[in-house]
PDB file of all heavy atoms in Angstrom:
ATOM      1  N   LEU A   1       0.774  -1.190   0.034  1.00 60.00           N
ATOM      2  CA  LEU A   1       0.002  -0.019   0.038  1.00 60.00           C
ATOM      3  C   LEU A   1       0.789   1.301   0.007  1.00 60.00           C
ATOM      4  O   LEU A   1       0.325   2.339  -0.105  1.00 60.00           O
ATOM      5  CB  LEU A   1      -0.914  -0.012   1.236  1.00 60.00           C
ATOM      6  CG  LEU A   1      -1.866  -1.097   1.362  1.00 60.00           C
ATOM      7  CD1 LEU A   1      -2.780  -0.915   2.608  1.00 60.00           C
ATOM      8  CD2 LEU A   1      -2.752  -1.208   0.063  1.00 60.00           C
ATOM      9  N   THR A   2       2.182   1.139   0.256  1.00 59.00           N
ATOM     10  CA  THR A   2       2.980   2.314   0.298  1.00 59.00           C
ATOM     11  C   THR A   2       3.088   2.972  -1.056  1.00 59.00           C
ATOM     12  O   THR A   2       3.443   4.191  -1.166  1.00 59.00           O
ATOM     13  CB  THR A   2       4.468   1.898   0.772  1.00 59.00           C
ATOM     14  OG1 THR A   2       4.926   0.983  -0.331  1.00 59.00           O
ATOM     15  CG2 THR A   2       4.370   1.309   2.031  1.00 59.00           C
ATOM     16  N   HIS A   3       2.714   2.343  -2.232  1.00 61.00           N
ATOM     17  CA  HIS A   3       2.734   3.002  -3.488  1.00 61.00           C
ATOM     18  C   HIS A   3       1.451   3.860  -3.789  1.00 61.00           C
ATOM     19  O   HIS A   3       1.402   4.358  -4.869  1.00 61.00           O
ATOM     20  CB  HIS A   3       2.896   1.961  -4.628  1.00 61.00           C
ATOM     21  CG  HIS A   3       4.137   1.263  -4.414  1.00 61.00           C
ATOM     22  ND1 HIS A   3       5.407   1.726  -4.439  1.00 61.00           N
ATOM     23  CD2 HIS A   3       4.417  -0.130  -4.464  1.00 61.00           C
ATOM     24  CE1 HIS A   3       6.369   0.876  -4.310  1.00 61.00           C
ATOM     25  NE2 HIS A   3       5.772  -0.305  -4.389  1.00 61.00           N
ATOM     26  N   LEU A   4       0.520   3.882  -2.885  1.00 61.00           N
ATOM     27  CA  LEU A   4      -0.791   4.579  -3.083  1.00 61.00           C
ATOM     28  C   LEU A   4      -0.624   6.075  -2.650  1.00 61.00           C
ATOM     29  O   LEU A   4      -1.505   6.836  -2.787  1.00 61.00           O
ATOM     30  CB  LEU A   4      -1.884   3.955  -2.327  1.00 61.00           C
ATOM     31  CG  LEU A   4      -2.229   2.407  -2.817  1.00 61.00           C
ATOM     32  CD1 LEU A   4      -3.323   1.940  -1.864  1.00 61.00           C
ATOM     33  CD2 LEU A   4      -2.563   2.439  -4.251  1.00 61.00           C
ATOM     34  N   GLY A   5       0.537   6.438  -2.013  1.00 60.00           N
ATOM     35  CA  GLY A   5       0.587   7.826  -1.653  1.00 60.00           C
ATOM     36  C   GLY A   5      -0.046   8.204  -0.387  1.00 60.00           C
ATOM     37  O   GLY A   5      -0.430   9.320  -0.077  1.00 60.00           O
ATOM     38  N   LEU A   6      -0.441   7.128   0.494  1.00 58.00           N
ATOM     39  CA  LEU A   6      -1.164   7.393   1.763  1.00 58.00           C
ATOM     40  C   LEU A   6      -0.232   8.212   2.655  1.00 58.00           C
ATOM     41  O   LEU A   6      -0.844   8.892   3.590  1.00 58.00           O
ATOM     42  CB  LEU A   6      -1.587   6.007   2.393  1.00 58.00           C
ATOM     43  CG  LEU A   6      -2.503   5.098   1.669  1.00 58.00           C
ATOM     44  CD1 LEU A   6      -2.705   3.834   2.416  1.00 58.00           C
ATOM     45  CD2 LEU A   6      -3.832   5.851   1.378  1.00 58.00           C
ATOM     46  N   ASP A   7       1.077   8.196   2.544  1.00 58.00           N
ATOM     47  CA  ASP A   7       1.956   8.991   3.506  1.00 58.00           C
ATOM     48  C   ASP A   7       1.751  10.364   3.386  1.00 58.00           C
ATOM     49  O   ASP A   7       2.089  11.264   4.240  1.00 58.00           O
ATOM     50  CB  ASP A   7       3.403   8.601   3.266  1.00 58.00           C
ATOM     51  CG  ASP A   7       3.851   8.746   1.889  1.00 58.00           C
ATOM     52  OD1 ASP A   7       2.970   8.669   0.895  1.00 58.00           O
ATOM     53  OD2 ASP A   7       4.937   8.789   1.657  1.00 58.00           O
ATOM     54  N   PHE A   8       1.016  10.874   2.253  1.00 64.00           N
ATOM     55  CA  PHE A   8       0.761  12.259   2.119  1.00 64.00           C
ATOM     56  C   PHE A   8      -0.075  12.809   3.208  1.00 64.00           C
ATOM     57  O   PHE A   8      -0.107  14.018   3.511  1.00 64.00           O
ATOM     58  CB  PHE A   8       0.233  12.470   0.715  1.00 64.00           C
ATOM     59  CG  PHE A   8      -0.158  14.054   0.429  1.00 64.00           C
ATOM     60  CD1 PHE A   8       1.067  14.837   0.233  1.00 64.00           C
ATOM     61  CD2 PHE A   8      -1.292  14.544   0.352  1.00 64.00           C
ATOM     62  CE1 PHE A   8       0.784  16.282  -0.008  1.00 64.00           C
ATOM     63  CE2 PHE A   8      -1.594  15.935   0.047  1.00 64.00           C
ATOM     64  CZ  PHE A   8      -0.426  16.702  -0.087  1.00 64.00           C
ATOM     65  N   ALA A   9      -0.897  11.825   3.791  1.00 61.00           N
ATOM     66  CA  ALA A   9      -1.882  12.318   4.946  1.00 61.00           C
ATOM     67  C   ALA A   9      -1.147  12.824   6.008  1.00 61.00           C
ATOM     68  O   ALA A   9      -1.554  13.617   6.767  1.00 61.00           O
ATOM     69  CB  ALA A   9      -2.712  11.021   5.367  1.00 61.00           C
ATOM     70  N   ILE A  10       0.135  12.350   6.181  1.00 63.00           N
ATOM     71  CA  ILE A  10       1.121  12.743   7.382  1.00 63.00           C
ATOM     72  C   ILE A  10       1.237  14.268   7.144  1.00 63.00           C
ATOM     73  O   ILE A  10       1.150  15.086   8.118  1.00 63.00           O
ATOM     74  CB  ILE A  10       2.267  11.976   7.315  1.00 63.00           C
ATOM     75  CG1 ILE A  10       2.032  10.588   7.620  1.00 63.00           C
ATOM     76  CG2 ILE A  10       3.214  12.499   8.479  1.00 63.00           C
ATOM     77  CD1 ILE A  10       3.363   9.618   7.523  1.00 63.00           C
ATOM     78  N   ALA A  11       1.724  14.627   5.979  1.00 67.00           N
ATOM     79  CA  ALA A  11       2.029  16.008   5.648  1.00 67.00           C
ATOM     80  C   ALA A  11       0.840  16.946   5.789  1.00 67.00           C
ATOM     81  O   ALA A  11       0.858  18.090   6.407  1.00 67.00           O
ATOM     82  CB  ALA A  11       2.649  16.108   4.292  1.00 67.00           C
ATOM     83  N   THR A  12      -0.309  16.494   5.143  1.00 68.00           N
ATOM     84  CA  THR A  12      -1.464  17.377   5.288  1.00 68.00           C
ATOM     85  C   THR A  12      -2.050  17.605   6.621  1.00 68.00           C
ATOM     86  O   THR A  12      -2.477  18.685   6.857  1.00 68.00           O
ATOM     87  CB  THR A  12      -2.626  16.808   4.382  1.00 68.00           C
ATOM     88  OG1 THR A  12      -2.842  15.402   4.715  1.00 68.00           O
ATOM     89  CG2 THR A  12      -2.198  16.655   2.844  1.00 68.00           C
ATOM     90  N   THR A  13      -1.905  16.549   7.493  1.00 65.00           N
ATOM     91  CA  THR A  13      -2.363  16.663   8.845  1.00 65.00           C
ATOM     92  C   THR A  13      -1.591  17.721   9.639  1.00 65.00           C
ATOM     93  O   THR A  13      -2.100  18.655  10.325  1.00 65.00           O
ATOM     94  CB  THR A  13      -2.392  15.351   9.557  1.00 65.00           C
ATOM     95  OG1 THR A  13      -3.211  14.415   8.939  1.00 65.00           O
ATOM     96  CG2 THR A  13      -2.883  15.523  10.924  1.00 65.00           C
ATOM     97  N   PHE A  14      -0.297  17.584   9.594  1.00 68.00           N
ATOM     98  CA  PHE A  14       0.561  18.472  10.243  1.00 68.00           C
ATOM     99  C   PHE A  14       0.606  19.882   9.763  1.00 68.00           C
ATOM    100  O   PHE A  14       0.634  20.957  10.478  1.00 68.00           O
ATOM    101  CB  PHE A  14       2.015  17.974  10.274  1.00 68.00           C
ATOM    102  CG  PHE A  14       2.294  16.958  11.288  1.00 68.00           C
ATOM    103  CD1 PHE A  14       2.382  15.648  11.055  1.00 68.00           C
ATOM    104  CD2 PHE A  14       2.355  17.412  12.614  1.00 68.00           C
ATOM    105  CE1 PHE A  14       2.607  14.715  12.120  1.00 68.00           C
ATOM    106  CE2 PHE A  14       2.514  16.424  13.704  1.00 68.00           C
ATOM    107  CZ  PHE A  14       2.655  15.093  13.345  1.00 68.00           C
ATOM    108  N   ILE A  15       0.405  19.986   8.281  1.00 73.00           N
ATOM    109  CA  ILE A  15       0.171  21.429   7.805  1.00 73.00           C
ATOM    110  C   ILE A  15      -1.123  22.077   8.400  1.00 73.00           C
ATOM    111  O   ILE A  15      -1.072  23.208   8.792  1.00 73.00           O
ATOM    112  CB  ILE A  15       0.138  21.245   6.248  1.00 73.00           C
ATOM    113  CG1 ILE A  15       1.522  20.904   5.661  1.00 73.00           C
ATOM    114  CG2 ILE A  15      -0.376  22.567   5.636  1.00 73.00           C
ATOM    115  CD1 ILE A  15       1.368  20.656   4.183  1.00 73.00           C
ATOM    116  N   ALA A  16      -2.183  21.245   8.480  1.00 70.00           N
ATOM    117  CA  ALA A  16      -3.400  21.857   9.031  1.00 70.00           C
ATOM    118  C   ALA A  16      -3.209  22.199  10.457  1.00 70.00           C
ATOM    119  O   ALA A  16      -3.811  23.161  10.837  1.00 70.00           O
ATOM    120  CB  ALA A  16      -4.468  20.768   8.904  1.00 70.00           C
ATOM    121  N   LEU A  17      -2.463  21.503  11.228  1.00 66.00           N
ATOM    122  CA  LEU A  17      -2.215  21.915  12.634  1.00 66.00           C
ATOM    123  C   LEU A  17      -1.212  22.990  12.780  1.00 66.00           C
ATOM    124  O   LEU A  17      -1.341  23.885  13.701  1.00 66.00           O
ATOM    125  CB  LEU A  17      -1.660  20.652  13.474  1.00 66.00           C
ATOM    126  CG  LEU A  17      -2.551  19.344  13.492  1.00 66.00           C
ATOM    127  CD1 LEU A  17      -1.771  18.279  14.196  1.00 66.00           C
ATOM    128  CD2 LEU A  17      -3.797  19.789  14.390  1.00 66.00           C
ATOM    129  N   VAL A  18      -0.290  23.089  11.884  1.00 76.00           N
ATOM    130  CA  VAL A  18       0.958  24.113  12.065  1.00 76.00           C
ATOM    131  C   VAL A  18       0.504  25.450  11.570  1.00 76.00           C
ATOM    132  O   VAL A  18       0.741  26.425  12.212  1.00 76.00           O
ATOM    133  CB  VAL A  18       2.201  23.588  11.383  1.00 76.00           C
ATOM    134  CG1 VAL A  18       3.148  24.724  11.282  1.00 76.00           C
ATOM    135  CG2 VAL A  18       2.751  22.366  12.164  1.00 76.00           C
ATOM    136  N   ILE A  19      -0.156  25.525  10.384  1.00 78.00           N
ATOM    137  CA  ILE A  19      -0.396  26.828   9.747  1.00 78.00           C
ATOM    138  C   ILE A  19      -1.142  27.836  10.705  1.00 78.00           C
ATOM    139  O   ILE A  19      -0.762  29.013  10.752  1.00 78.00           O
ATOM    140  CB  ILE A  19      -1.170  26.586   8.457  1.00 78.00           C
ATOM    141  CG1 ILE A  19      -0.314  25.933   7.429  1.00 78.00           C
ATOM    142  CG2 ILE A  19      -1.620  27.993   7.859  1.00 78.00           C
ATOM    143  CD1 ILE A  19       1.013  26.626   7.085  1.00 78.00           C
ATOM    144  N   PRO A  20      -2.192  27.394  11.283  1.00 74.00           N
ATOM    145  CA  PRO A  20      -2.845  28.403  12.188  1.00 74.00           C
ATOM    146  C   PRO A  20      -2.028  28.907  13.250  1.00 74.00           C
ATOM    147  O   PRO A  20      -2.358  30.020  13.936  1.00 74.00           O
ATOM    148  CB  PRO A  20      -4.055  27.510  12.855  1.00 74.00           C
ATOM    149  CG  PRO A  20      -4.224  26.390  11.817  1.00 74.00           C
ATOM    150  CD  PRO A  20      -2.969  26.096  11.253  1.00 74.00           C
ATOM    151  N   GLY A  21      -1.010  28.292  13.723  1.00 73.00           N
ATOM    152  CA  GLY A  21      -0.094  28.699  14.802  1.00 73.00           C
ATOM    153  C   GLY A  21       0.933  29.675  14.390  1.00 73.00           C
ATOM    154  O   GLY A  21       1.801  30.086  15.221  1.00 73.00           O
ATOM    155  N   ILE A  22       1.171  29.960  13.049  1.00 82.00           N
ATOM    156  CA  ILE A  22       2.237  30.817  12.576  1.00 82.00           C
ATOM    157  C   ILE A  22       1.601  32.295  12.642  1.00 82.00           C
ATOM    158  O   ILE A  22       0.894  32.711  11.869  1.00 82.00           O
ATOM    159  CB  ILE A  22       2.535  30.568  11.034  1.00 82.00           C
ATOM    160  CG1 ILE A  22       2.953  29.113  10.945  1.00 82.00           C
ATOM    161  CG2 ILE A  22       3.600  31.419  10.699  1.00 82.00           C
ATOM    162  CD1 ILE A  22       3.316  28.771   9.439  1.00 82.00           C
ATOM    163  N   LYS A  23       2.034  32.847  13.847  1.00 82.00           N
ATOM    164  CA  LYS A  23       1.460  34.150  14.183  1.00 82.00           C
ATOM    165  C   LYS A  23       2.594  35.249  14.398  1.00 82.00           C
ATOM    166  O   LYS A  23       2.312  36.295  14.736  1.00 82.00           O
ATOM    167  CB  LYS A  23       0.609  34.210  15.515  1.00 82.00           C
ATOM    168  CG  LYS A  23      -0.564  33.190  15.260  1.00 82.00           C
ATOM    169  CD  LYS A  23      -1.354  33.168  16.558  1.00 82.00           C
ATOM    170  CE  LYS A  23      -2.662  32.196  16.392  1.00 82.00           C
ATOM    171  NZ  LYS A  23      -3.485  32.176  17.612  1.00 82.00           N
ATOM    172  N   ASN A  24       3.782  34.813  14.213  1.00 86.00           N
ATOM    173  CA  ASN A  24       4.973  35.748  14.332  1.00 86.00           C
ATOM    174  C   ASN A  24       6.142  35.333  13.396  1.00 86.00           C
ATOM    175  O   ASN A  24       6.124  34.167  12.895  1.00 86.00           O
ATOM    176  CB  ASN A  24       5.391  36.032  15.715  1.00 86.00           C
ATOM    177  CG  ASN A  24       5.702  34.519  16.437  1.00 86.00           C
ATOM    178  OD1 ASN A  24       6.532  33.914  15.884  1.00 86.00           O
ATOM    179  ND2 ASN A  24       5.139  34.359  17.524  1.00 86.00           N
ATOM    180  N   LEU A  25       7.137  36.170  13.185  1.00 89.00           N
ATOM    181  CA  LEU A  25       8.313  35.907  12.338  1.00 89.00           C
ATOM    182  C   LEU A  25       9.054  34.651  12.806  1.00 89.00           C
ATOM    183  O   LEU A  25       9.589  33.838  12.100  1.00 89.00           O
ATOM    184  CB  LEU A  25       9.160  37.152  12.328  1.00 89.00           C
ATOM    185  CG  LEU A  25      10.352  37.021  11.284  1.00 89.00           C
ATOM    186  CD1 LEU A  25      10.061  36.744   9.893  1.00 89.00           C
ATOM    187  CD2 LEU A  25      11.246  38.356  11.520  1.00 89.00           C
ATOM    188  N   ALA A  26       9.216  34.546  14.162  1.00 87.00           N
ATOM    189  CA  ALA A  26      10.126  33.499  14.578  1.00 87.00           C
ATOM    190  C   ALA A  26       9.443  32.170  14.338  1.00 87.00           C
ATOM    191  O   ALA A  26      10.157  31.179  13.936  1.00 87.00           O
ATOM    192  CB  ALA A  26      10.119  33.648  16.208  1.00 87.00           C
ATOM    193  N   THR A  27       8.080  32.031  14.537  1.00 87.00           N
ATOM    194  CA  THR A  27       7.450  30.745  14.180  1.00 87.00           C
ATOM    195  C   THR A  27       7.590  30.545  12.656  1.00 87.00           C
ATOM    196  O   THR A  27       7.739  29.390  12.183  1.00 87.00           O
ATOM    197  CB  THR A  27       5.999  30.757  14.560  1.00 87.00           C
ATOM    198  OG1 THR A  27       5.972  31.150  15.924  1.00 87.00           O
ATOM    199  CG2 THR A  27       5.251  29.456  14.266  1.00 87.00           C
ATOM    200  N   LEU A  28       7.321  31.509  11.838  1.00 90.00           N
ATOM    201  CA  LEU A  28       7.367  31.327  10.289  1.00 90.00           C
ATOM    202  C   LEU A  28       8.809  30.909   9.912  1.00 90.00           C
ATOM    203  O   LEU A  28       8.886  29.969   9.126  1.00 90.00           O
ATOM    204  CB  LEU A  28       7.057  32.613   9.729  1.00 90.00           C
ATOM    205  CG  LEU A  28       7.095  32.721   8.168  1.00 90.00           C
ATOM    206  CD1 LEU A  28       6.243  31.696   7.492  1.00 90.00           C
ATOM    207  CD2 LEU A  28       6.926  34.083   7.562  1.00 90.00           C
ATOM    208  N   ALA A  29       9.836  31.396  10.568  1.00 91.00           N
ATOM    209  CA  ALA A  29      11.199  31.093  10.281  1.00 91.00           C
ATOM    210  C   ALA A  29      11.399  29.601  10.665  1.00 91.00           C
ATOM    211  O   ALA A  29      12.156  28.936   9.934  1.00 91.00           O
ATOM    212  CB  ALA A  29      12.169  31.960  10.892  1.00 91.00           C
ATOM    213  N   THR A  30      10.879  29.257  11.758  1.00 90.00           N
ATOM    214  CA  THR A  30      11.115  27.912  12.301  1.00 90.00           C
ATOM    215  C   THR A  30      10.405  26.926  11.283  1.00 90.00           C
ATOM    216  O   THR A  30      11.089  25.842  10.954  1.00 90.00           O
ATOM    217  CB  THR A  30      10.359  27.612  13.656  1.00 90.00           C
ATOM    218  OG1 THR A  30      10.999  28.540  14.562  1.00 90.00           O
ATOM    219  CG2 THR A  30      10.580  26.358  14.178  1.00 90.00           C
ATOM    220  N   VAL A  31       9.177  27.169  10.872  1.00 89.00           N
ATOM    221  CA  VAL A  31       8.494  26.267   9.990  1.00 89.00           C
ATOM    222  C   VAL A  31       9.296  26.128   8.705  1.00 89.00           C
ATOM    223  O   VAL A  31       9.544  25.068   8.019  1.00 89.00           O
ATOM    224  CB  VAL A  31       7.093  26.734   9.634  1.00 89.00           C
ATOM    225  CG1 VAL A  31       6.480  25.958   8.569  1.00 89.00           C
ATOM    226  CG2 VAL A  31       6.276  26.715  10.949  1.00 89.00           C
ATOM    227  N   ILE A  32       9.691  27.288   8.056  1.00 92.00           N
ATOM    228  CA  ILE A  32      10.346  27.263   6.631  1.00 92.00           C
ATOM    229  C   ILE A  32      11.732  26.634   6.820  1.00 92.00           C
ATOM    230  O   ILE A  32      12.036  25.760   6.017  1.00 92.00           O
ATOM    231  CB  ILE A  32      10.564  28.749   6.293  1.00 92.00           C
ATOM    232  CG1 ILE A  32       9.237  29.376   6.001  1.00 92.00           C
ATOM    233  CG2 ILE A  32      11.513  28.811   4.967  1.00 92.00           C
ATOM    234  CD1 ILE A  32       9.263  30.846   5.538  1.00 92.00           C
ATOM    235  N   THR A  33      12.402  26.787   7.938  1.00 93.00           N
ATOM    236  CA  THR A  33      13.668  26.228   8.134  1.00 93.00           C
ATOM    237  C   THR A  33      13.626  24.776   8.232  1.00 93.00           C
ATOM    238  O   THR A  33      14.310  24.051   7.703  1.00 93.00           O
ATOM    239  CB  THR A  33      14.434  26.819   9.333  1.00 93.00           C
ATOM    240  OG1 THR A  33      14.641  28.205   9.293  1.00 93.00           O
ATOM    241  CG2 THR A  33      15.776  26.158   9.515  1.00 93.00           C
ATOM    242  N   ALA A  34      12.652  24.276   9.035  1.00 89.00           N
ATOM    243  CA  ALA A  34      12.404  22.772   9.212  1.00 89.00           C
ATOM    244  C   ALA A  34      12.059  22.212   7.902  1.00 89.00           C
ATOM    245  O   ALA A  34      12.695  21.066   7.473  1.00 89.00           O
ATOM    246  CB  ALA A  34      11.198  22.555  10.190  1.00 89.00           C
ATOM    247  N   GLY A  35      11.209  22.741   7.066  1.00 88.00           N
ATOM    248  CA  GLY A  35      10.950  22.212   5.717  1.00 88.00           C
ATOM    249  C   GLY A  35      12.173  22.204   4.728  1.00 88.00           C
ATOM    250  O   GLY A  35      12.292  21.120   4.151  1.00 88.00           O
ATOM    251  N   VAL A  36      12.774  23.286   4.675  1.00 92.00           N
ATOM    252  CA  VAL A  36      14.025  23.220   3.792  1.00 92.00           C
ATOM    253  C   VAL A  36      15.085  22.322   4.151  1.00 92.00           C
ATOM    254  O   VAL A  36      15.688  21.624   3.405  1.00 92.00           O
ATOM    255  CB  VAL A  36      14.460  24.719   3.686  1.00 92.00           C
ATOM    256  CG1 VAL A  36      15.913  24.786   3.019  1.00 92.00           C
ATOM    257  CG2 VAL A  36      13.510  25.695   3.091  1.00 92.00           C
ATOM    258  N   MET A  37      15.460  22.307   5.479  1.00 92.00           N
ATOM    259  CA  MET A  37      16.484  21.425   6.000  1.00 92.00           C
ATOM    260  C   MET A  37      16.102  19.944   5.899  1.00 92.00           C
ATOM    261  O   MET A  37      16.909  19.114   5.444  1.00 92.00           O
ATOM    262  CB  MET A  37      16.825  21.708   7.420  1.00 92.00           C
ATOM    263  CG  MET A  37      17.463  23.112   7.695  1.00 92.00           C
ATOM    264  SD  MET A  37      19.103  23.182   6.861  1.00 92.00           S
ATOM    265  CE  MET A  37      20.000  21.896   7.764  1.00 92.00           C
ATOM    266  N   ALA A  38      14.851  19.626   6.241  1.00 88.00           N
ATOM    267  CA  ALA A  38      14.457  18.278   6.049  1.00 88.00           C
ATOM    268  C   ALA A  38      14.474  17.733   4.579  1.00 88.00           C
ATOM    269  O   ALA A  38      14.952  16.663   4.355  1.00 88.00           O
ATOM    270  CB  ALA A  38      12.964  18.074   6.565  1.00 88.00           C
TER     271      ALA A  38
END
């Protein structure tokens, strides 16, 4: 089942949880840095 792209649910769930919490520059920088570095 790994070829069905189900792991995309992980990314979408965390995006939905993280985005509302980006309320200042420090948090935004943290999110962008995490994504780029990963």
Side-chain angles (χ1 to χ4, degrees):
L1 298 181
T2 58
H3 297 307
L4 299 181
L6 298 179
D7 52 341
F8 184 69
I10 302 173
T12 54
T13 301
F14 276 104
I15 289 172
L17 293 173
V18 169
I19 294 299
I22 302 177
K23 297 179 181 179
N24 53 56
L25 180 61
T27 305
L28 177 62
T30 302
V31 172
I32 293 175
T33 302
V36 172
M37 290 297 297

